Every structure is written in C-alpha cells, then in structure tokens.
Amino acid sequence: MIRATLLCLACATIAHADTFCASLTDQHATLALPDGTKGTCSTSLDLSGTRAQNCRWPFAYRAPEATEAFNAVLQATTACLDVQPVSDQDVNHPDSYDLRTFHTDTAQIAVSIKDKGALQQTYVFLRIAAP
C-alpha cells in the first residue's frame, strides 16, 4: 500500500513537471508552479512588437514559501530547457530582487523574485518571450 502511494505521488510529480515543461513553449498556456499552483497570467507587447507571457504568484512578505517557489521554478526550468540561467546584474533596489534569464533559440525565459515592501508581499514572476 505504501509503495503504491509513493508511486502515485511520483507519477503526479512527473505529470506536473511535464505540464510545466510544455507550458514553457506554449505562450497561451496558463502557467503553474511545478507543484501545480496556477499563476495570474497576462500577455504583453514588447517595444519590438513581440508578445510575452507574464505570470505572477503572490506570497506573504519574505515568506519562505516564496523562496521555495522561486527555486522550484528555477530548477524545473533548468531541467526542461537543459540550459543554465544567466544572473542579472546587481541593481540598487530598495527591496530584495533576484532575476535569472534563460536564453534558447525559441524563447527568452525570465524567473524572478521581488519583495514589495509597500505591499507587504513577495512575488515570483515568470516571463516567456520570443528572443
């Protein structure tokens, strides 16, 4: 019984990972964290005329769950794309901010975590755009 339960949990994790990987290439997908938590997503138009998908997940200000979600998205994206992210340059930002960007032939994917002190929230962002 325990073995069957563990197998079901493993299959569910793999299914979420497959869904997450597929959503990285489908700009019309509603993106979810690797654990299945759906984000609030919208499409934007860049200055160059290309469309980008932007998703966000709010958390309590500096909650450990936000850092865990950020790290999970980074790990899942790295595994899906088989590409290492590039870290952003240090910025003079009043709150905490971390950005990692993945460059592929078909997309530029950015994963970030930002503390918003005035809102007392921390956000994890995922952005997918044409290169």
Side-chain angles (χ1 to χ4, degrees):
M1 180 70 172
I2 293 174
R3 185 175 275 166
T5 302
L6 291 175
L7 181 60
C8 287
L9 289 174
C11 289
T13 301
I14 292 167
H16 281 298
D18 288 345
T19 302
F20 180 80
C21 291
S23 68
L24 290 177
T25 59
D26 180 0
Q27 289 196 9
H28 300 289
T30 299
L31 293 166
L33 294 173
D35 71 0
T37 305
K38 293 191 186 230
T40 301
C41 301
S42 62
T43 302
S44 63
L45 189 60
D46 289 343
L47 291 175
S48 65
T50 60
R51 295 190 184 280
Q53 173 122 9
N54 305 280
C55 296
R56 69 183 184 278
W57 293 267
F59 294 89
Y61 186 66
R62 296 196 173 165
E65 295 83 8
T67 302
E68 291 167 10
F70 173 70
N71 289 329
V73 171
L74 277 177
Q75 290 174 355
T77 304
T78 301
C80 292
L81 301 176
D82 196 28
V83 173
Q84 290 298 312
V86 176
S87 295
D88 194 24
Q89 300 173 343
D90 290 334
V91 295
N92 183 10
H93 195 279
D95 293 321
S96 175
Y97 168 82
D98 192 2
L99 170 67
R100 310 291 171 87
T101 306
F102 297 84
H103 300 277
T104 71
D105 292 339
T106 58
Q108 182 181 55
I109 300 170
V111 180
S112 62
I113 184 169
K114 298 177 185 177
D115 288 332
K116 302 289 189 177
L119 299 174
Q120 286 296 289
Q121 288 189 306
T122 297
Y123 285 89
V124 173
F125 294 98
L126 178 61
R127 182 176 183 278
I128 303 169

mmCIF file of all heavy atoms in Angstrom, residues 3-50:
data_model
loop_
_atom_site.group_PDB
_atom_site.id
_atom_site.type_symbol
_atom_site.label_atom_id
_atom_site.label_comp_id
_atom_site.label_asym_id
_atom_site.label_seq_id
_atom_site.Cartn_x
_atom_site.Cartn_y
_atom_site.Cartn_z
ATOM 1 N N ARG A 3 3.952 1.491 -0.975
ATOM 2 C CA ARG A 3 4.663 1.536 -2.249
ATOM 3 C C ARG A 3 3.756 2.113 -3.344
ATOM 4 O O ARG A 3 4.177 2.917 -4.161
ATOM 5 C CB ARG A 3 5.138 0.140 -2.619
ATOM 6 C CG ARG A 3 5.978 0.131 -3.868
ATOM 7 C CD ARG A 3 6.524 -1.233 -4.146
ATOM 8 N NE ARG A 3 7.757 -1.377 -3.380
ATOM 9 C CZ ARG A 3 8.368 -2.519 -3.177
ATOM 10 N NH1 ARG A 3 7.863 -3.629 -3.630
ATOM 11 N NH2 ARG A 3 9.489 -2.565 -2.510
ATOM 12 N N ALA A 4 2.500 1.729 -3.371
ATOM 13 C CA ALA A 4 1.549 2.235 -4.370
ATOM 14 C C ALA A 4 1.318 3.731 -4.184
ATOM 15 O O ALA A 4 1.236 4.484 -5.159
ATOM 16 C CB ALA A 4 0.228 1.479 -4.279
ATOM 17 N N THR A 5 1.211 4.182 -2.939
ATOM 18 C CA THR A 5 1.019 5.600 -2.656
ATOM 19 C C THR A 5 2.224 6.402 -3.127
ATOM 20 O O THR A 5 2.077 7.456 -3.753
ATOM 21 C CB THR A 5 0.787 5.831 -1.148
ATOM 22 O OG1 THR A 5 -0.343 5.070 -0.748
ATOM 23 C CG2 THR A 5 0.565 7.298 -0.837
ATOM 24 N N LEU A 6 3.424 5.905 -2.843
ATOM 25 C CA LEU A 6 4.632 6.604 -3.282
ATOM 26 C C LEU A 6 4.723 6.644 -4.805
ATOM 27 O O LEU A 6 5.120 7.659 -5.382
ATOM 28 C CB LEU A 6 5.880 5.938 -2.699
ATOM 29 C CG LEU A 6 6.063 6.091 -1.192
ATOM 30 C CD1 LEU A 6 7.263 5.279 -0.719
ATOM 31 C CD2 LEU A 6 6.231 7.553 -0.810
ATOM 32 N N LEU A 7 4.316 5.573 -5.454
ATOM 33 C CA LEU A 7 4.313 5.542 -6.904
ATOM 34 C C LEU A 7 3.339 6.575 -7.466
ATOM 35 O O LEU A 7 3.657 7.291 -8.420
ATOM 36 C CB LEU A 7 3.956 4.146 -7.419
ATOM 37 C CG LEU A 7 3.941 3.977 -8.937
ATOM 38 C CD1 LEU A 7 5.314 4.296 -9.531
ATOM 39 C CD2 LEU A 7 3.527 2.564 -9.295
ATOM 40 N N CYS A 8 2.168 6.695 -6.875
ATOM 41 C CA CYS A 8 1.176 7.691 -7.317
ATOM 42 C C CYS A 8 1.719 9.105 -7.143
ATOM 43 O O CYS A 8 1.539 9.957 -8.016
ATOM 44 C CB CYS A 8 -0.132 7.533 -6.549
ATOM 45 S SG CYS A 8 -1.072 6.088 -7.053
ATOM 46 N N LEU A 9 2.386 9.365 -6.009
ATOM 47 C CA LEU A 9 2.964 10.686 -5.771
ATOM 48 C C LEU A 9 4.061 10.980 -6.784
ATOM 49 O O LEU A 9 4.157 12.091 -7.314
ATOM 50 C CB LEU A 9 3.513 10.796 -4.342
ATOM 51 C CG LEU A 9 2.478 10.860 -3.244
ATOM 52 C CD1 LEU A 9 3.156 10.808 -1.876
ATOM 53 C CD2 LEU A 9 1.643 12.121 -3.365
ATOM 54 N N ALA A 10 4.888 10.002 -7.080
ATOM 55 C CA ALA A 10 5.956 10.187 -8.068
ATOM 56 C C ALA A 10 5.362 10.477 -9.443
ATOM 57 O O ALA A 10 5.836 11.357 -10.160
ATOM 58 C CB ALA A 10 6.851 8.956 -8.119
ATOM 59 N N CYS A 11 4.315 9.742 -9.814
ATOM 60 C CA CYS A 11 3.671 9.965 -11.123
ATOM 61 C C CYS A 11 3.058 11.357 -11.190
ATOM 62 O O CYS A 11 3.138 12.025 -12.213
ATOM 63 C CB CYS A 11 2.596 8.909 -11.375
ATOM 64 S SG CYS A 11 3.297 7.276 -11.682
ATOM 65 N N ALA A 12 2.453 11.806 -10.110
ATOM 66 C CA ALA A 12 1.851 13.147 -10.087
ATOM 67 C C ALA A 12 2.924 14.213 -10.239
ATOM 68 O O ALA A 12 2.732 15.200 -10.954
ATOM 69 C CB ALA A 12 1.074 13.354 -8.788
ATOM 70 N N THR A 13 4.071 14.028 -9.591
ATOM 71 C CA THR A 13 5.164 14.990 -9.702
ATOM 72 C C THR A 13 5.692 15.032 -11.129
ATOM 73 O O THR A 13 5.931 16.095 -11.691
ATOM 74 C CB THR A 13 6.299 14.620 -8.722
ATOM 75 O OG1 THR A 13 5.766 14.625 -7.399
ATOM 76 C CG2 THR A 13 7.446 15.601 -8.805
ATOM 77 N N ILE A 14 5.857 13.861 -11.750
ATOM 78 C CA ILE A 14 6.325 13.809 -13.131
ATOM 79 C C ILE A 14 5.310 14.459 -14.064
ATOM 80 O O ILE A 14 5.665 15.210 -14.961
ATOM 81 C CB ILE A 14 6.613 12.354 -13.546
ATOM 82 C CG1 ILE A 14 7.832 11.840 -12.773
ATOM 83 C CG2 ILE A 14 6.839 12.236 -15.043
ATOM 84 C CD1 ILE A 14 8.039 10.348 -12.861
ATOM 85 N N ALA A 15 4.031 14.207 -13.835
ATOM 86 C CA ALA A 15 2.983 14.810 -14.671
ATOM 87 C C ALA A 15 3.016 16.324 -14.566
ATOM 88 O O ALA A 15 2.894 17.031 -15.582
ATOM 89 C CB ALA A 15 1.615 14.279 -14.269
ATOM 90 N N HIS A 16 3.180 16.872 -13.352
ATOM 91 C CA HIS A 16 3.284 18.323 -13.187
ATOM 92 C C HIS A 16 4.515 18.849 -13.905
ATOM 93 O O HIS A 16 4.468 19.904 -14.536
ATOM 94 C CB HIS A 16 3.324 18.716 -11.706
ATOM 95 C CG HIS A 16 1.983 18.707 -11.051
ATOM 96 N ND1 HIS A 16 0.959 19.527 -11.450
ATOM 97 C CD2 HIS A 16 1.498 17.971 -10.034
ATOM 98 C CE1 HIS A 16 -0.111 19.300 -10.697
ATOM 99 N NE2 HIS A 16 0.199 18.356 -9.842
ATOM 100 N N ALA A 17 5.633 18.122 -13.822
ATOM 101 C CA ALA A 17 6.857 18.559 -14.496
ATOM 102 C C ALA A 17 6.650 18.572 -16.003
ATOM 103 O O ALA A 17 7.064 19.516 -16.685
ATOM 104 C CB ALA A 17 8.021 17.641 -14.119
ATOM 105 N N ASP A 18 6.004 17.535 -16.547
ATOM 106 C CA ASP A 18 5.731 17.503 -17.985
ATOM 107 C C ASP A 18 4.832 18.655 -18.397
ATOM 108 O O ASP A 18 5.050 19.291 -19.423
ATOM 109 C CB ASP A 18 5.081 16.171 -18.382
ATOM 110 C CG ASP A 18 6.072 15.013 -18.335
ATOM 111 O OD1 ASP A 18 7.291 15.270 -18.282
ATOM 112 O OD2 ASP A 18 5.608 13.861 -18.336
ATOM 113 N N THR A 19 3.807 18.939 -17.600
ATOM 114 C CA THR A 19 2.897 20.048 -17.879
ATOM 115 C C THR A 19 3.649 21.371 -17.815
ATOM 116 O O THR A 19 3.462 22.248 -18.657
ATOM 117 C CB THR A 19 1.725 20.049 -16.883
ATOM 118 O OG1 THR A 19 1.059 18.801 -16.980
ATOM 119 C CG2 THR A 19 0.749 21.169 -17.155
ATOM 120 N N PHE A 20 4.512 21.526 -16.827
ATOM 121 C CA PHE A 20 5.291 22.754 -16.684
ATOM 122 C C PHE A 20 6.198 22.939 -17.894
ATOM 123 O O PHE A 20 6.250 24.018 -18.478
ATOM 124 C CB PHE A 20 6.111 22.720 -15.387
ATOM 125 C CG PHE A 20 6.941 23.959 -15.182
ATOM 126 C CD1 PHE A 20 6.356 25.114 -14.694
ATOM 127 C CD2 PHE A 20 8.289 23.969 -15.480
ATOM 128 C CE1 PHE A 20 7.107 26.271 -14.513
ATOM 129 C CE2 PHE A 20 9.053 25.108 -15.308
ATOM 130 C CZ PHE A 20 8.459 26.257 -14.820
ATOM 131 N N CYS A 21 6.890 21.898 -18.301
ATOM 132 C CA CYS A 21 7.787 21.988 -19.462
ATOM 133 C C CYS A 21 7.009 22.354 -20.720
ATOM 134 O O CYS A 21 7.454 23.196 -21.501
ATOM 135 C CB CYS A 21 8.531 20.669 -19.666
ATOM 136 S SG CYS A 21 9.754 20.319 -18.380
ATOM 137 N N ALA A 22 5.868 21.732 -20.920
ATOM 138 C CA ALA A 22 5.052 22.029 -22.104
ATOM 139 C C ALA A 22 4.587 23.480 -22.089
ATOM 140 O O ALA A 22 4.537 24.140 -23.131
ATOM 141 C CB ALA A 22 3.861 21.089 -22.176
ATOM 142 N N SER A 23 4.265 24.007 -20.908
ATOM 143 C CA SER A 23 3.759 25.376 -20.832
ATOM 144 C C SER A 23 4.841 26.406 -21.147
ATOM 145 O O SER A 23 4.531 27.526 -21.525
ATOM 146 C CB SER A 23 3.141 25.649 -19.459
ATOM 147 O OG SER A 23 4.133 25.656 -18.450
ATOM 148 N N LEU A 24 6.106 26.026 -21.004
ATOM 149 C CA LEU A 24 7.182 26.970 -21.322
ATOM 150 C C LEU A 24 7.273 27.263 -22.814
ATOM 151 O O LEU A 24 7.835 28.273 -23.211
ATOM 152 C CB LEU A 24 8.534 26.424 -20.833
ATOM 153 C CG LEU A 24 8.732 26.387 -19.326
ATOM 154 C CD1 LEU A 24 10.079 25.762 -18.993
ATOM 155 C CD2 LEU A 24 8.613 27.767 -18.704
ATOM 156 N N THR A 25 6.714 26.385 -23.634
ATOM 157 C CA THR A 25 6.764 26.606 -25.079
ATOM 158 C C THR A 25 5.413 27.041 -25.650
ATOM 159 O O THR A 25 5.310 27.307 -26.828
ATOM 160 C CB THR A 25 7.224 25.324 -25.801
ATOM 161 O OG1 THR A 25 6.320 24.265 -25.499
ATOM 162 C CG2 THR A 25 8.636 24.948 -25.390
ATOM 163 N N ASP A 26 4.385 27.112 -24.812
ATOM 164 C CA ASP A 26 3.050 27.497 -25.269
ATOM 165 C C ASP A 26 2.671 28.818 -24.613
ATOM 166 O O ASP A 26 2.298 28.853 -23.458
ATOM 167 C CB ASP A 26 2.034 26.415 -24.903
ATOM 168 C CG ASP A 26 0.624 26.751 -25.359
ATOM 169 O OD1 ASP A 26 0.417 27.825 -25.972
ATOM 170 O OD2 ASP A 26 -0.275 25.944 -25.086
ATOM 171 N N GLN A 27 2.784 29.910 -25.374
ATOM 172 C CA GLN A 27 2.521 31.225 -24.792
ATOM 173 C C GLN A 27 1.052 31.465 -24.491
ATOM 174 O O GLN A 27 0.693 32.500 -23.949
ATOM 175 C CB GLN A 27 3.068 32.327 -25.688
ATOM 176 C CG GLN A 27 4.572 32.382 -25.682
ATOM 177 C CD GLN A 27 5.099 33.673 -26.238
ATOM 178 O OE1 GLN A 27 4.365 34.627 -26.489
ATOM 179 N NE2 GLN A 27 6.397 33.735 -26.421
ATOM 180 N N HIS A 28 0.187 30.513 -24.803
ATOM 181 C CA HIS A 28 -1.234 30.661 -24.487
ATOM 182 C C HIS A 28 -1.621 29.826 -23.279
ATOM 183 O O HIS A 28 -2.777 29.846 -22.862
ATOM 184 C CB HIS A 28 -2.091 30.283 -25.697
ATOM 185 C CG HIS A 28 -1.791 31.135 -26.890
ATOM 186 N ND1 HIS A 28 -2.135 32.454 -26.978
ATOM 187 C CD2 HIS A 28 -1.138 30.857 -28.037
ATOM 188 C CE1 HIS A 28 -1.719 32.952 -28.126
ATOM 189 N NE2 HIS A 28 -1.111 32.007 -28.782
ATOM 190 N N ALA A 29 -0.663 29.110 -22.716
ATOM 191 C CA ALA A 29 -0.957 28.243 -21.569
ATOM 192 C C ALA A 29 -1.079 29.084 -20.315
ATOM 193 O O ALA A 29 -0.466 30.139 -20.180
ATOM 194 C CB ALA A 29 0.157 27.222 -21.394
ATOM 195 N N THR A 30 -1.912 28.622 -19.379
ATOM 196 C CA THR A 30 -1.941 29.221 -18.052
ATOM 197 C C THR A 30 -0.850 28.523 -17.261
ATOM 198 O O THR A 30 -0.913 27.323 -17.029
ATOM 199 C CB THR A 30 -3.306 29.005 -17.369
ATOM 200 O OG1 THR A 30 -4.301 29.637 -18.172
ATOM 201 C CG2 THR A 30 -3.318 29.593 -15.978
ATOM 202 N N LEU A 31 0.167 29.261 -16.917
ATOM 203 C CA LEU A 31 1.322 28.664 -16.262
ATOM 204 C C LEU A 31 1.035 28.363 -14.800
ATOM 205 O O LEU A 31 0.295 29.087 -14.131
ATOM 206 C CB LEU A 31 2.523 29.589 -16.387
ATOM 207 C CG LEU A 31 3.029 29.750 -17.810
ATOM 208 C CD1 LEU A 31 3.992 30.920 -17.905
ATOM 209 C CD2 LEU A 31 3.708 28.480 -18.265
ATOM 210 N N ALA A 32 1.651 27.302 -14.348
ATOM 211 C CA ALA A 32 1.520 26.898 -12.953
ATOM 212 C C ALA A 32 2.907 26.619 -12.409
ATOM 213 O O ALA A 32 3.828 26.276 -13.159
ATOM 214 C CB ALA A 32 0.643 25.654 -12.836
ATOM 215 N N LEU A 33 3.051 26.788 -11.111
ATOM 216 C CA LEU A 33 4.290 26.405 -10.460
ATOM 217 C C LEU A 33 4.475 24.901 -10.627
ATOM 218 O O LEU A 33 3.509 24.175 -10.892
ATOM 219 C CB LEU A 33 4.234 26.767 -8.972
ATOM 220 C CG LEU A 33 4.190 28.259 -8.647
ATOM 221 C CD1 LEU A 33 3.972 28.465 -7.155
ATOM 222 C CD2 LEU A 33 5.456 28.962 -9.099
ATOM 223 N N PRO A 34 5.688 24.403 -10.457
ATOM 224 C CA PRO A 34 5.893 22.961 -10.583
ATOM 225 C C PRO A 34 4.995 22.124 -9.659
ATOM 226 O O PRO A 34 4.699 20.979 -9.964
ATOM 227 C CB PRO A 34 7.371 22.777 -10.225
ATOM 228 C CG PRO A 34 7.988 24.065 -10.663
ATOM 229 C CD PRO A 34 6.946 25.115 -10.324
ATOM 230 N N ASP A 35 4.500 22.703 -8.567
ATOM 231 C CA ASP A 35 3.599 21.954 -7.681
ATOM 232 C C ASP A 35 2.146 22.026 -8.137
ATOM 233 O O ASP A 35 1.258 21.464 -7.518
ATOM 234 C CB ASP A 35 3.723 22.432 -6.228
ATOM 235 C CG ASP A 35 3.129 23.822 -6.000
ATOM 236 O OD1 ASP A 35 2.602 24.446 -6.952
ATOM 237 O OD2 ASP A 35 3.192 24.295 -4.853
ATOM 238 N N GLY A 36 1.882 22.757 -9.253
ATOM 239 C CA GLY A 36 0.535 22.831 -9.800
ATOM 240 C C GLY A 36 -0.224 24.114 -9.466
ATOM 241 O O GLY A 36 -1.307 24.343 -9.982
ATOM 242 N N THR A 37 0.323 24.989 -8.624
ATOM 243 C CA THR A 37 -0.343 26.238 -8.258
ATOM 244 C C THR A 37 -0.376 27.171 -9.467
ATOM 245 O O THR A 37 0.665 27.579 -9.973
ATOM 246 C CB THR A 37 0.389 26.936 -7.093
ATOM 247 O OG1 THR A 37 0.492 26.038 -6.003
ATOM 248 C CG2 THR A 37 -0.340 28.200 -6.674
ATOM 249 N N LYS A 38 -1.580 27.499 -9.927
ATOM 250 C CA LYS A 38 -1.727 28.348 -11.115
ATOM 251 C C LYS A 38 -1.384 29.794 -10.793
ATOM 252 O O LYS A 38 -1.664 30.294 -9.715
ATOM 253 C CB LYS A 38 -3.149 28.252 -11.658
ATOM 254 C CG LYS A 38 -3.436 26.880 -12.205
ATOM 255 C CD LYS A 38 -4.717 26.848 -12.981
ATOM 256 C CE LYS A 38 -4.967 25.412 -13.343
ATOM 257 N NZ LYS A 38 -5.252 25.155 -14.664
ATOM 258 N N GLY A 39 -0.794 30.437 -11.775
ATOM 259 C CA GLY A 39 -0.438 31.836 -11.624
ATOM 260 C C GLY A 39 -1.478 32.736 -12.258
ATOM 261 O O GLY A 39 -2.370 32.286 -12.971
ATOM 262 N N THR A 40 -1.355 34.011 -11.981
ATOM 263 C CA THR A 40 -2.153 35.026 -12.656
ATOM 264 C C THR A 40 -1.316 35.476 -13.840
ATOM 265 O O THR A 40 -0.224 36.002 -13.659
ATOM 266 C CB THR A 40 -2.445 36.205 -11.713
ATOM 267 O OG1 THR A 40 -3.133 35.720 -10.568
ATOM 268 C CG2 THR A 40 -3.269 37.271 -12.417
ATOM 269 N N CYS A 41 -1.815 35.243 -15.051
ATOM 270 C CA CYS A 41 -1.018 35.478 -16.250
ATOM 271 C C CYS A 41 -1.676 36.491 -17.176
ATOM 272 O O CYS A 41 -2.902 36.606 -17.209
ATOM 273 C CB CYS A 41 -0.819 34.168 -17.010
ATOM 274 S SG CYS A 41 0.001 32.878 -16.048
ATOM 275 N N SER A 42 -0.841 37.172 -17.931
ATOM 276 C CA SER A 42 -1.319 38.104 -18.943
ATOM 277 C C SER A 42 -0.294 38.144 -20.073
ATOM 278 O O SER A 42 0.843 37.710 -19.909
ATOM 279 C CB SER A 42 -1.523 39.499 -18.354
ATOM 280 O OG SER A 42 -0.293 40.007 -17.868
ATOM 281 N N THR A 43 -0.712 38.680 -21.195
ATOM 282 C CA THR A 43 0.166 38.813 -22.355
ATOM 283 C C THR A 43 0.483 40.287 -22.532
ATOM 284 O O THR A 43 -0.390 41.143 -22.409
ATOM 285 C CB THR A 43 -0.518 38.256 -23.618
ATOM 286 O OG1 THR A 43 -0.853 36.893 -23.385
ATOM 287 C CG2 THR A 43 0.392 38.345 -24.820
ATOM 288 N N SER A 44 1.754 40.560 -22.810
ATOM 289 C CA SER A 44 2.154 41.946 -23.055
ATOM 290 C C SER A 44 2.815 42.042 -24.418
ATOM 291 O O SER A 44 3.235 41.039 -24.999
ATOM 292 C CB SER A 44 3.121 42.416 -21.958
ATOM 293 O OG SER A 44 4.302 41.641 -21.985
ATOM 294 N N LEU A 45 2.904 43.239 -24.918
ATOM 295 C CA LEU A 45 3.542 43.503 -26.194
ATOM 296 C C LEU A 45 4.821 44.286 -25.915
ATOM 297 O O LEU A 45 4.777 45.361 -25.305
ATOM 298 C CB LEU A 45 2.596 44.320 -27.084
ATOM 299 C CG LEU A 45 2.999 44.514 -28.522
ATOM 300 C CD1 LEU A 45 3.126 43.167 -29.236
ATOM 301 C CD2 LEU A 45 1.969 45.376 -29.239
ATOM 302 N N ASP A 46 5.966 43.730 -26.332
ATOM 303 C CA ASP A 46 7.240 44.404 -26.130
ATOM 304 C C ASP A 46 7.409 45.534 -27.132
ATOM 305 O O ASP A 46 6.696 45.599 -28.137
ATOM 306 C CB ASP A 46 8.399 43.417 -26.288
ATOM 307 C CG ASP A 46 8.484 42.421 -25.144
ATOM 308 O OD1 ASP A 46 7.867 42.668 -24.088
ATOM 309 O OD2 ASP A 46 9.170 41.397 -25.311
ATOM 310 N N LEU A 47 8.374 46.407 -26.891
ATOM 311 C CA LEU A 47 8.639 47.510 -27.809
ATOM 312 C C LEU A 47 8.993 47.019 -29.206
ATOM 313 O O LEU A 47 8.695 47.675 -30.197
ATOM 314 C CB LEU A 47 9.774 48.388 -27.267
ATOM 315 C CG LEU A 47 9.449 49.188 -26.013
ATOM 316 C CD1 LEU A 47 10.701 49.921 -25.524
ATOM 317 C CD2 LEU A 47 8.325 50.169 -26.273
ATOM 318 N N SER A 48 9.598 45.834 -29.280
ATOM 319 C CA SER A 48 9.984 45.282 -30.588
ATOM 320 C C SER A 48 8.790 44.699 -31.340
ATOM 321 O O SER A 48 8.906 44.314 -32.500
ATOM 322 C CB SER A 48 11.035 44.190 -30.397
ATOM 323 O OG SER A 48 10.471 43.105 -29.683
ATOM 324 N N GLY A 49 7.630 44.617 -30.682
ATOM 325 C CA GLY A 49 6.442 44.062 -31.308
ATOM 326 C C GLY A 49 6.190 42.602 -30.979
ATOM 327 O O GLY A 49 5.186 42.044 -31.404
ATOM 328 N N THR A 50 7.107 41.972 -30.250
ATOM 329 C CA THR A 50 6.905 40.572 -29.874
ATOM 330 C C THR A 50 6.028 40.481 -28.632
ATOM 331 O O THR A 50 6.012 41.376 -27.791
ATOM 332 C CB THR A 50 8.241 39.854 -29.610
ATOM 333 O OG1 THR A 50 8.918 40.517 -28.545
ATOM 334 C CG2 THR A 50 9.112 39.834 -30.837
#
